Amino acid sequence: MENMAEAAVKELRSTVSSGKTKSYEWRISQLKAILKIVTHHENEIIEALRSDLNKPEHEAFIHEIFSVASSCKLALKELRRWMKPQKVKTGMLTFPSSGEIVPEPLGVVLVISTWNYPFLIAVDPVIGAIAAGNAVVLKPSEVAPATSALLSKLLGEYLDTSAVKVIEGAVRETTELLAQKWDKIMYTGNGRVARIVLAAAAKHLTPVILELGGKCPAVVDANINLKVTARRIISGKWGCNNGQTCISPDYILTTKEYAPKVVDALAAELEKFYGKDPLGSNDLSRIVNIHHFDRLEKLMDDEKVSGKIVHGGQRDKTNLKIAPTILLDVEEDSLIMNEEIFGPLLPIVTVNKIEDSFGAINAKGKPLAAYLFTNDKTLKEEFVRSVSAGAIAINETALHFMEVGLPFGGVGESGMGSYHGKFSFDAFSHKKAVLRRGFGGEVSARYPPYAPWKLQLLKALVKGNIIEILRALLGW
Ligand code: NAD
């Protein structure tokens, strides 16, 4: 018997074959419908995010609702321009001719999403897929069940279900989906499952976008505005889903002498933001589930680092809460330095000279984002030049995510491919090369029987040298 995944792909393929999803009007209607979802159902989305993560309304609105609305508005505004074939200059060899790049939909695509921004990371790629004229199946994360159910309900009500489907579920359902032939798969999540996705995609030669995580470093140089630095680090760490964010600073690198000042500044600002009892603060998300809570406890209780907590450390297992926690001078061989933390713990690694931190970063897998706080122009240039990462932000954390002119994606261990703004449209389009010629402009030199003068002429054409062209043609 046909399973749900097979049936869905069959229906979507037939919709794509009808040509419906290619039209500008269809794409616009679906994008408008998504915009309606975010405007008419803001409260339900906020409630679902509260239920899944106790996400503060402020973060739910800015990071998820506002971001999705902005993506939609941009696509609605720019779609005609994005869809327009792009003229390309052609050369002597094809003269007379014209060339263009025609973006065409890939067909039927699969989006597998994760739990930490369960609304944004599900809907944002769907916007790109629809804008590019594809049919799409969205598989939200079962780890955020309230948002998954809401996505299924709202997308089912507002969108054209013959072309856009939500299939909820966990490993079994995702495995069934991955067994189908797709024209592109976009997966957001961890590296272990990414390997499963990539292996499944290889069977059908399906291209894949992998949005993964890793350990994002924040290098803090001395003699900077520490108050602003501390606030921006806190905002990118604890102010982003309590550290459960792929681009949150995972650890700080600073010099031995400067580290105590960094700790003091962070501690002072943390207290201003979350009070003396951060476990009681409503402005921090909770840990998503007991499995992740236990994982984070293990990182804190590792005997190599348990004595190094210099701020925070409080936890409340019943309510799945962990306070913002700073650990000073952790060793590279501790557990916390050997996996992505993805939670409210922030270790500080000290170096002798700030320049040493660049080598320490490059010795690990390429991060999704790398941050540097400094006033030093040379250090900034050296950081951009020598650190390989999905993105770099100078004197800021995480905010590059909000810039639609910048591609968002990883490199190496942190992923492949990127999206956001026009990059989302490109991610789900094929760039078809089109060369147009008439029946004139025949050059017999391209045809057999080959002769020395023909080769001479072609060489002259390649060089674009008029004198040599004439010489070959006229036999001078
Ligand atoms: P998760 O547990 O929600 O899993 C992600 C998806 O994979 C889910 O839809 C799940 O159903 C599916 N899945 C799980 N096991 C599977 C299996 N065996 N076979 C097939 N599918 C399976 O999320 P997670 O992996 O815990 O997500 C956290 C990770 O995601 C972190 O590493 C984080 O850095 C990364 N992340 C990256 C980005 C980004 O944009 N680059 C954004 C958010 C999170």
Side-chain angles (χ1 to χ4, degrees):
M1 213 183 73
E2 205 174 47
N3 66 35
M4 212 195 320
E6 281 165 347
V9 173
K10 204 176 190 185
E11 186 185 347
L12 297 195
R13 287 236 173 265
S14 122
T15 307
V16 165
S17 302
S18 75
K20 178 188 195 181
T21 59
K22 264 194 180 172
S23 81
Y24 173 78
E25 290 70 26
W26 181 84
R27 303 183 201 194
I28 290 289
S29 72
Q30 300 306 294
L31 293 170
K32 281 187 177 161
I34 295 180
L35 198 53
K36 259 194 199 148
I37 292 178
V38 282
T39 36
H40 295 355
H41 297 274
E42 193 180 306
N43 288 340
E44 277 169 84
I45 300 166
I46 287 168
E47 277 319 310
L49 294 170
R50 205 191 304 278
S51 157
D52 287 331
L53 286 148
N54 196 32
K55 197 171 277 214
E57 180 174 341
H58 185 95
E59 287 179 35
F61 180 77
I62 298 292
H63 297 159
E64 309 224 30
I65 295 167
F66 169 78
S67 293
V68 166
S70 303
S71 284
C72 249
K73 285 181 189 160
L74 183 77
L76 283 165
K77 181 163 161 261
E78 299 290 339
L79 190 61
R80 259 209 208 283
R81 205 167 57 82
W82 294 348
M83 287 174 69
K84 224 167 140 188
Q86 197 187 322
K87 292 266 176 258
V88 169
K89 260 194 183 166
T90 51
M92 280 292 259
L93 268 181
T94 58
F95 182 83
S97 72
S98 68
E100 58 184 358
I101 301 169
V102 177
E104 74 174 6
L106 293 169
V108 179
V109 304
L110 171 65
V111 172
I112 305 173
S113 153
T114 181
W115 53 265
N116 63 336
Y117 290 80
F119 187 75
L120 169 72
I121 288 175
V123 181
D124 214 11
V126 170
I127 291 171
I130 289 173
N134 299 280
V136 52
V137 168
L138 166 67
K139 211 301 284 172
S141 175
E142 72 282 14
V143 180
T147 312
S148 176
L150 185 65
L151 284 166
S152 172
K153 178 178 122 169
L154 293 179
L155 268 62
E157 269 172 37
Y158 280 80
L159 297 186
D160 172 358
T161 53
S162 73
V164 183
K165 291 194 183 298
V166 177
I167 296 188
E168 290 190 89
V171 177
R172 186 176 66 79
E173 291 78 3
T174 319
T175 308
E176 282 175 7
L177 285 167
L178 285 172
Q180 310 307 309
K181 179 172 165 32
W182 302 94
D183 298 305
K184 189 137 198 178
I185 300 173
M186 174 155 171
Y187 166 80
T188 305
N190 68 69
R192 184 186 61 79
V193 176
R195 285 165 173 81
I196 298 173
V197 172
L198 208 49
K203 272 199 192 136
H204 301 287
L205 284 182
T206 299
V208 169
I209 300 172
L210 298 177
E211 291 283 343
L212 312 178
K215 292 186 85 63
C216 301
V219 177
V220 179
D221 190 16
N223 305 319
I224 53 170
N225 186 330
L226 254 187
K227 182 174 172 173
V228 171
T229 300
R231 294 166 85 100
R232 291 184 184 175
I233 289 175
I234 295 169
S235 164
K237 178 81 176 176
W238 297 284
C240 281
N241 207 22
N242 207 2
Q244 302 168 104
T245 297
C246 53
I247 49 172
S248 280
D250 185 277
Y251 64 104
I252 288 181
L253 284 151
T254 191
T255 58
K256 260 196 185 1
E257 314 83 81
Y258 205 56
K261 288 196 177 132
V262 176
V263 173
D264 289 348
L266 284 168
E269 297 306 312
L270 277 169
E271 193 175 317
K272 278 189 219 156
F273 289 178
Y274 304 115
K276 283 194 189 313
D277 171 27
L279 291 183
S281 168
N282 285 325
D283 295 339
L284 285 165
S285 294
R286 68 161 158 75
I287 306 306
V288 68
N289 58 26
I290 191 71
H291 157 70
H292 280 278
F293 187 93
D294 289 345
R295 183 183 63 77
L296 289 162
E297 257 199 332
K298 201 165 135 208
L299 297 185
M300 289 165 92
D301 295 343
D302 171 17
E303 58 178 24
K304 288 209 164 101
V305 301
S306 54
K308 305 207 166 188
I309 294 175
V310 290
H311 182 85
Q314 307 89 320
R315 49 194 110 160
D316 168 0
K317 197 163 185 155
T318 320
N319 294 305
L320 298 177
K321 288 189 166 189
I322 298 180
T325 298
I326 304 169
L327 303 98
L328 180 58
D329 245 334
V330 299
E331 303 294 337
E332 281 289 349
D333 65 350
S334 54
L335 282 180
I336 206 169
M337 285 310 293
N338 283 283
E339 66 174 73
E340 181 184 7
I341 297 169
F342 219 59
L345 320 176
L346 184 63
I348 299 181
V349 175
T350 56
V351 286
N352 291 326
K353 295 197 310 301
I354 202 70
E355 291 79 5
D356 296 346
S357 51
F358 297 6
I361 295 170
N362 286 334
K364 296 186 186 299
K366 293 181 179 181
L368 187 58
Y371 306 116
L372 170 68
F373 288 86
T374 188
N375 283 317
D376 184 333
K377 202 164 166 257
T378 318
L379 203 65
K380 289 178 197 171
E381 294 318 310
E382 184 56 17
F383 193 71
V384 173
R385 198 186 62 74
S386 67
V387 170
S388 183
I392 279 179
I394 306 285
N395 295 333
E396 192 47 87
T397 68
L399 224 51
H400 60 283
F401 180 90
M402 308 293 272
E403 272 307 328
V404 288
L406 293 173
F408 184 80
V411 56
E413 295 82 344
S414 54
M416 57 179 79
S418 58
Y419 71 128
H420 280 192
K422 167 78 162 45
F423 302 101
S424 295
F425 177 85
D426 291 340
F428 291 103
S429 299
H430 166 59
K431 302 241 168 122
K432 187 158 67 184
V434 178
L435 179 75
R436 295 179 202 274
R437 299 196 78 203
F439 291 100
E442 274 294 88
V443 179
S444 60
R446 67 187 275 206
Y447 303 116
Y450 300 137
W453 74 268
K454 290 185 173 178
L455 186 58
Q456 195 188 344
L457 177 62
L458 289 178
K459 283 184 177 172
L461 277 172
V462 171
K463 279 196 216 160
N465 186 324
I466 299 291
I467 304 287
E468 283 186 29
I469 293 171
L470 288 174
R471 193 175 286 150
L473 277 174
L474 304 173
W476 293 347

